[in-house]
Amino acid sequence: MVDKIGKGHRLVMENREQLALTGVQKVRSFDPKEIVLETELGILSIKGEQLGIKLLNLEQGLVDLQGHVGALIYHRNTNGGSRQGLINRIFR
């Protein structure tokens, strides 16, 4: 197995249609409108239309995506996930 510790996280986007990422540890969820990835720097949500995974190599931490990207969102680290974080922000 390839040692992924300390390799960092990199994101390269071309024309809001192709993404190349490094430092990906896990795919949390996937559908054509949203892909949620666990990276070395936290949770990343990629929102858009017709999103698809072209390359997935978690041993090396590589993911290539295609589709129309509408938003890239890095979430704060919370134990309860992003939904609990949203509820906490609403009821402050």
Side-chain angles (χ1 to χ4, degrees):
M1 181 180 273
V2 177
D3 185 14
K4 295 187 285 186
I5 296 174
K7 291 202 176 196
H9 169 60
R10 181 175 178 181
L11 183 148
V12 177
M13 181 167 46
E14 292 183 35
N15 299 321
R16 292 180 64 180
E17 293 178 353
Q18 294 184 5
L19 285 174
L21 297 107
T22 64
V24 177
Q25 299 171 335
K26 180 179 179 182
V27 176
R28 286 198 167 189
S29 67
F30 164 77
D31 69 52
K33 293 191 177 203
E34 181 177 24
I35 298 173
V36 181
L37 304 172
E38 189 174 314
T39 74
E40 291 185 12
L41 297 180
I43 305 302
L44 171 63
S45 294
I46 301 155
K47 296 184 180 190
E49 298 291 328
Q50 299 175 338
L51 298 174
I53 297 176
K54 289 176 37 178
L55 169 75
L56 177 62
N57 183 335
L58 294 178
E59 282 187 6
Q60 294 182 5
L62 304 174
V63 176
D64 286 353
L65 307 173
Q66 65 183 12
H68 179 74
V69 176
L72 299 168
I73 303 164
Y74 283 93
H75 300 274
R76 288 190 292 176
N77 291 335
T78 61
N79 292 336
S82 62
R83 290 181 188 215
Q84 184 177 3
L86 175 64
I87 292 172
N88 287 341
R89 286 187 295 232
I90 291 172
F91 292 107
R92 278 189 193 180

